Amino acid sequence: MGFVSTVLGFTGFGAGVSAGLVVGYFIFIYFQPSDVKDPVIRPLIEQDTATLQRLLPEIPLWVKNPDFDRIDWLNKFIEYMWPYLDKAICKTAINIAKPIIAEQIPKYKIESVEFETFTLGSLPPTFQGMKVYVTDEKELIMEPSLKWAGNPNVILAVKAFGLKASIQVVDLQIFAAPRITLKPLVPSFPCFAKIYVSLMEKPHVDFGLKLLGADLMSIPGLYRFVQELIKDQVAGMYLWPKTLEVPIMDPTKAMQKPVGILHVKVLRAMKLKKKDLLGASDPYVKLKLTEDKLPSKKTTVKHRNLNPEWNEEFNLAVRDPETQALELHVYDWEQVGKHDEMGMHVVPLNDIPPDEPKVMTLDLLKNMNPNDVQNDKLRGQLVVELTYKPFKEEFIPKDFDDSRNVEKAPEGTPTSGGMLVVMVHEAQDVEGKYHTNPYHVKKNRDPRWEEEFHFMLDEPPTNDKMHVEVQSVSSKIGLLHPKECLGYVDINLSDVVSNKRINEKYHLIDSKNGRIQIELQWRTSA
């Protein structure tokens, strides 16, 4: 009986299951619920913002926000470069983390913490978009949106109380909105001196920790505690306005700031050869430093004199005494026509001892070619007194992080006056009637110069104006319209004396829409 009942039981179970499946199938097919309606299909363009963000939670920022730019090219670049970036980033991260760990572990009585393995894995981060800010300062500001769900392998070996344990970091996720500032912008490659990185909001950081193969984050309450702790620590160090500074190059050398002043006293000339057929010549001297964009300085004209005496003094800002030289040219002044050159000479600045006046009698030459036989001809002599005064260390700026700060004037600046610094940055929408070839920039309606000029003044220019004119020079040879004014502006210098620094865009007079950006600084020794 026992055997028969067992067989009948299995048979009944199989028959019951089979009958139940058949009945259920027919009920599902032939008895549809009446309260179920077909979904309404609407195009995405008809959905509101909240619905779109719910339907597409990972939609890129360049789609949602028009001020973010699409940067797929950067993601593609990072994808190809990631094996090399991985090694470089890991090396930098270890160098940054080691001193921080060494400073913190004594507080917790930990003997040592070492990296056994450090790799960021094979999945690179992606940028959802980037916002770029344009300012009037010498800087470039970028705000990318970073998302990274990586597969890193970071193993830390921790020693404490004679025991050693390995902690592994896995499944790392980081969502961050950093601000990257490149400044100051300089005329030397890579064209910026420092990188500043700060966070505009607390980052989202998620990861797993394994100790002896067990997931520590599964401990109740530990996951939330560790996540908030990391957010607060990172935000405390790098949340804006706090920044991480990465030096790239020395800004002092990159910006080629003046490092000294050359005092030139033109004393006299002797035995000059006359250029005029009738009567004596009318000599004067032009002087300037090589690699200097400022116009040459000139002495007065001594009429009908082949042995003139000037005793006139000039101050020139020196940027590199090892490579620069003083050029001296003696000309014969003509009322009409071109002024004839009577001779010239070049004095390298590295031949002048610092802080010691040096009187030099220079033989005037045709040119500085030592093999030119024309230099054997006597052209007279020029006597000058040269004194190079290098700035002291406290007058050489060490940091250009804030371009809004005004430096002190160098030593040797007149106590009652100062140094006027003029920085011509760029112009926009300049256009000429006959040609548009702004100075040093041909065929460009938006020229950028980034040139800096220094003027030593004996007194503050409170009642003076500075005339700035944008000129265009014809690229064609001819006498018809060789030069053309694209616009000008007169700037009251009393504003820069009172404010120490102004950086503005001025509308050009006699120009339809032209503007020019000029930065002025008034530096005093006080």
Side-chain angles (χ1 to χ4, degrees):
M1 290 296 292
F3 175 75
V4 174
S5 61
T6 302
V7 172
L8 292 176
F10 276 110
T11 304
F13 175 76
V17 170
S18 301
L21 290 175
V22 172
V23 173
Y25 175 76
F26 279 97
I27 292 174
F28 178 78
I29 294 298
Y30 293 102
F31 294 94
Q32 293 288 345
S34 59
D35 58 341
V36 177
K37 298 180 180 179
D38 293 333
V40 179
I41 301 176
R42 297 169 57 191
L44 289 177
I45 195 172
E46 297 180 3
Q47 307 291 339
D48 56 13
T49 303
T51 305
L52 283 175
Q53 290 184 348
R54 186 171 65 254
L55 294 174
L56 303 172
E58 298 301 323
I59 188 170
L61 281 177
W62 58 267
V63 176
K64 295 188 291 186
N65 300 324
D67 54 346
F68 275 82
D69 296 324
R70 184 173 180 176
I71 48 174
D72 290 341
W73 63 270
L74 181 58
N75 292 325
K76 184 64 68 175
F77 171 79
I78 293 176
E79 180 182 353
Y80 283 119
M81 292 293 295
W82 185 243
Y84 310 97
L85 293 172
D86 177 17
K87 296 179 182 179
I89 293 173
C90 290
K91 183 178 180 181
T92 303
I94 291 174
N95 294 334
I96 295 175
K98 278 186 175 180
I100 298 176
I101 293 174
E103 182 182 353
Q104 296 295 327
I105 58 176
K107 301 179 183 179
Y108 305 97
K109 298 182 180 181
I110 298 176
E111 296 178 13
S112 66
V113 176
E114 297 179 354
F115 289 96
E116 288 188 351
T117 305
F118 198 129
T119 176
L120 299 180
S122 58
L123 301 177
T126 58
F127 291 92
Q128 302 296 305
M130 181 180 293
K131 184 190 299 183
V132 180
Y133 294 93
V134 178
T135 68
D136 291 336
E137 305 300 332
K138 294 181 179 179
E139 62 184 7
L140 176 62
I141 301 176
M142 300 174 289
E143 288 186 5
S145 175
L146 172 67
K147 290 189 176 183
W148 182 36
N151 55 346
N153 184 20
V154 181
I155 301 178
L156 288 173
V158 181
K159 279 187 178 182
F161 305 106
L163 301 176
K164 181 179 179 180
S166 296
I167 301 176
Q168 184 179 12
V169 180
V170 295
D171 300 330
L172 179 63
Q173 292 185 4
I174 298 177
F175 301 160
R179 169 175 287 185
I180 302 173
T181 304
L182 310 180
K183 73 173 185 179
L185 302 180
V186 296
S188 303
F189 190 80
C191 300
F192 55 89
K194 294 182 180 180
I195 302 177
Y196 296 86
V197 181
S198 57
L199 297 173
M200 303 310 295
E201 57 187 31
K202 287 186 178 182
H204 169 78
V205 181
D206 190 4
F207 59 92
L209 282 178
K210 288 186 177 181
L211 178 63
L212 303 176
D215 188 2
L216 293 179
M217 289 304 180
S218 61
I219 300 176
L222 182 62
Y223 172 77
R224 179 70 61 182
F225 171 75
V226 172
Q227 192 178 50
E228 293 299 324
L229 179 64
I230 292 177
K231 282 185 180 180
D232 293 338
Q233 290 292 329
V234 174
M237 291 188 293
Y238 303 123
L239 189 64
W240 191 86
K242 296 180 180 179
T243 60
L244 170 66
E245 178 182 322
V246 182
I248 303 299
M249 59 193 308
D250 186 355
T252 306
K253 297 179 180 179
M255 299 188 74
Q256 296 183 337
K257 293 289 182 178
V259 296
I261 293 292
L262 178 65
H263 298 276
V264 182
K265 187 174 184 180
V266 182
L267 299 175
R268 58 188 174 273
M270 302 175 296
K271 302 178 182 178
L272 297 177
K273 302 302 179 182
K274 68 177 183 177
K275 291 288 185 178
D276 297 336
L277 296 178
L278 302 175
S281 298
D282 306 315
Y284 69 94
V285 181
K286 292 178 66 174
L287 60 151
K288 67 170 295 183
L289 291 175
T290 56
E291 304 175 14
D292 197 346
K293 298 176 182 178
L294 283 173
S296 301
K297 297 181 180 293
K298 293 187 286 189
T299 65
T300 56
V301 179
K302 299 299 181 180
H303 295 282
R304 300 183 183 87
N305 195 335
L306 296 179
N307 296 280
E309 292 194 9
W310 287 284
N311 293 313
E312 298 181 15
E313 299 183 14
F314 305 90
N315 293 325
L316 305 175
V318 179
R319 299 176 184 271
D320 189 352
E322 297 299 322
T323 61
Q324 285 187 290
L326 174 65
E327 294 183 357
L328 297 157
H329 296 262
V330 181
Y331 287 92
D332 178 22
W333 179 83
E334 297 291 345
Q335 189 170 3
V336 179
K338 183 180 178 182
H339 299 186
D340 296 324
E341 185 172 3
M342 305 178 72
M344 57 91 65
H345 204 96
V346 176
V347 181
L349 297 189
N350 54 14
D351 291 346
I352 305 172
D355 297 315
E356 294 182 12
K358 184 175 183 179
V359 178
M360 306 180 71
T361 301
L362 308 173
D363 293 325
L364 296 178
L365 306 173
K366 175 69 176 179
N367 52 55
M368 294 306 297
N369 184 2
N371 299 321
D372 194 339
V373 295
Q374 297 186 69
N375 289 327
D376 297 335
K377 182 180 178 181
L378 297 178
R379 289 178 168 80
Q381 295 177 319
L382 180 66
V383 183
V384 295
E385 180 182 310
L386 306 178
T387 307
Y388 172 57
K389 291 188 176 182
F391 297 157
K392 295 181 179 179
E393 290 295 326
E394 59 265 25
F395 291 100
I396 299 180
K398 298 297 181 184
D399 195 357
F400 297 93
D401 296 347
D402 191 354
S403 59
R404 299 166 183 81
N405 293 336
V406 178
E407 307 159 18
K408 287 186 177 181
E411 185 183 14
T413 303
T415 55
S416 58
M419 175 186 286
L420 177 65
V421 181
V422 181
M423 304 177 190
V424 183
H425 293 299
E426 62 178 347
Q428 296 175 343
D429 295 330
V430 293
E431 186 174 5
K433 184 178 179 181
Y434 302 101
H435 42 75
T436 304
N437 298 312
Y439 178 71
H440 281 184
V441 186
K442 292 185 177 181
K443 297 181 180 179
N444 195 330
R445 295 181 57 187
D446 302 307
R448 178 181 288 271
W449 295 283
E450 299 297 346
E451 295 187 12
E452 184 173 319
F453 308 93
H454 299 81
F455 302 94
M456 288 286 189
L457 303 179
D458 295 329
E459 58 183 18
T462 53
N463 299 320
D464 298 328
K465 291 184 178 182
M466 183 178 68
H467 180 81
V468 180
E469 183 173 317
V470 181
Q471 285 195 347
S472 172
V473 180
S474 176
S475 58
K476 299 179 180 179
I477 300 176
L479 299 178
L480 188 61
H481 309 297
K483 290 184 179 182
E484 182 180 354
C485 176
L486 304 181
Y488 70 93
V489 63
D490 293 319
I491 304 174
N492 288 317
L493 297 181
S494 58
D495 294 338
V496 68
V497 174
S498 58
N499 298 321
K500 300 299 183 182
R501 176 185 181 271
I502 56 176
N503 184 12
E504 296 182 4
K505 289 185 178 180
Y506 301 90
H507 289 278
L508 292 171
I509 302 174
D510 289 346
S511 176
K512 184 177 180 181
N513 298 313
R515 293 176 298 165
I516 186 169
Q517 181 185 350
I518 298 177
E519 180 180 348
L520 301 175
Q521 293 185 9
W522 175 245
R523 301 176 184 174
T524 59
S525 56

